[in-house]
Amino acid sequence: MPEPESRNRHGPEAQLVPESGSAPGPVPNPQPKTETVRTEQVHAQLGLKSESKADPAVKDSDLRRTTTVRSNEANANPSPTPQLRKDEGSRTFTMRELLNGLKNDSEPEKEDANSPYSPERQQQHAEQNTAAMELINSVVGVDDEGRSRQRILTFAARRYATAIERNPEDYDALYNWALVLQESADNVSPDSTSPSKDALLEEACKKYDEATLLCPTLHDAFYNWAIAISDRAKMRGRTKEAEELWKQATKNYEKAVQLNWNSPQALNNWGLALQELSAIVPAREKQKIVRTAISKFRAAIQLQFDFHRAIYNLGTVLYGLAEDTLRTGGSVNAQEVSPNELYSQSAIYIAAAHALKPNYSVYSSALRLVRSMLPLPHLKVGYLNAPPVGSMIAPHNDWKRSEFLLDHEKLQQVPRGDHKQVPQSLSGRSVDAVNGDKKTIKVDIADIISVSACADLTLPPGAGLCIDTSHGSFYLVADSWESLDGWLDALRLVYTIYVRGKSDVLAGIITG
């Protein structure tokens, strides 16, 4: 079934879409949609209502393409319009500020007679700009709103063209013009052949390329350039040309993250570009790319724990990995995660995304397909090495591998018949009996302060887990580092859901 296009002003997400009335059977393989992120600012700042071509439920302001108009002091040109003047140093202008100024000065500025650039060079750029302007001028928009938006974009493009002809090294004008070209591509009718959306995006890519050559630290340009490349790749299906474009997009996302590491949106987009690439490359290369995509989604979540799109996308890529692992005959060795465990992990992330955004129909549909893969009535069940209850520091030999249960309220150790009856927990706090008079480790979600990986000589060798609570710290050791990642994410997600006041939604998912 075709997936609905979801945008952040380009922000589609990976989706699990069930066939209507399909018979019970294996869950369809979730197909990723490439996340192309733009901010909604370009609509708000242009005075236009943001329009989504996606399921109305899939709208969010946290994943938008960065469309703030840039202006740099070195390349600034004097203007009688107050909105266009700059403060000391570099300043960022909004599209609204800039266009208000432009509207007050309908005539293009005349060429600066004192321009340091030769007439020949200016003429060369004028010729290069002609093709781009012809593309923009031929876009009319698919409706009244689109036509109104396009008129403003066309007006802005003329100003950027004039600025570049006056100063070919004005990288901010190049960047802003690339944004205009990219936005204009969205106004092209789906059945239009002149101009084509691809031609506008290709021209935008050229402008981003020029801007980044002039200013190699312009992370927004690398980010939006990757979005434009991704849009071009999507038009080409699973072809060799698309493969090359996806590779280019991942390199640009990587560069954007290197320049601005604190960007969960770029990490999420990077992961989705890798996910798309994995569907095209030869089978021998696929798993490595998929695991890299998983690491990008996980990194995005670690920067923003309630980033529901990245949470959901991580669920879908894990589901796809489970399908591939099952198709090839299961785990290669004991160190790898089994397909059943991958399915269960996938369901955890999809359930968490739904709990954070219960009104998103895409998440609801996916949850109906994977809910049975959860260890109901719990969210996660697994093994951790734990010290004797009441001993914060115990000899390594005294630590025992024990089963733990996680739900919307607590992390609870499952009692064993050979457990001693100990009156206090690791933190010195009394713990509840789980089965008669059995005393076990219990961590209430509401008491958690932080959850982190840890390395300490007092812990047995392995992947250490530290849970800081308002009553003290708990230390556990996971079976592997991959297993630890799953526990860290699950605990953080449950706590985030609790803090966001959505615990009742999660409770409804796992208890039914």
Side-chain angles (χ1 to χ4, degrees), residues 149-323:
R149 178 168 59 237
Q150 191 58 39
R151 283 194 293 271
I152 297 174
L153 290 170
T154 302
F155 188 79
R158 294 194 190 104
R159 300 302 298 239
Y160 297 138
T162 301
I164 293 167
E165 290 170 19
R166 185 184 308 113
N167 177 7
E169 296 183 1
D170 187 347
Y171 56 81
D172 280 327
L174 284 164
Y175 168 77
N176 292 333
W177 195 4
L179 289 176
V180 169
L181 285 158
Q182 205 166 0
E183 289 295 322
S184 296
D186 288 342
N187 282 340
V188 175
S189 172
D191 55 359
S192 173
T193 57
S194 179
S196 70
K197 180 175 181 178
D198 187 58
L200 286 159
L201 291 172
E202 182 179 18
E203 194 64 36
C205 289
K206 292 178 182 177
K207 303 302 180 190
Y208 285 131
D209 192 9
E210 293 180 59
T212 54
L213 286 173
L214 291 169
C215 182
T217 60
L218 201 60
H219 61 83
D220 284 346
F222 283 106
Y223 178 64
N224 291 320
W225 186 5
I227 292 169
I229 295 171
S230 298
D231 283 348
R232 298 191 69 209
K234 286 187 293 183
M235 299 175 191
R236 288 160 171 78
R238 296 186 177 183
T239 63
K240 187 65 178 177
E241 188 179 4
E243 179 183 340
E244 293 304 315
L245 287 169
W246 284 122
K247 288 179 179 178
Q248 291 176 30
T250 59
K251 289 178 181 178
N252 280 2
Y253 281 129
E254 180 178 11
K255 186 67 176 178
V257 171
Q258 288 173 345
L259 294 170
N260 180 27
W261 64 268
N262 192 27
S263 175
Q265 292 85 3
L267 284 162
N268 183 53
N269 280 17
W270 188 0
L272 279 164
L274 287 164
Q275 197 174 359
E276 290 280 6
L277 178 61
S278 71
I280 305 175
V281 298
R284 64 181 180 276
E285 302 175 26
K286 181 173 184 177
Q287 189 168 110
K288 181 180 179 181
I289 295 174
V290 167
R291 292 191 179 278
T292 305
I294 290 172
S295 71
K296 303 312 170 191
F297 292 134
R298 184 162 276 137
I301 297 169
Q302 289 171 355
L303 285 176
Q304 185 180 332
F305 294 147
D306 63 350
F307 192 0
H308 60 91
R309 293 180 185 270
I311 293 167
Y312 179 75
N313 291 333
L314 181 51
T316 63
V317 75
L318 285 167
Y319 187 94
L321 182 59
E323 292 276 271

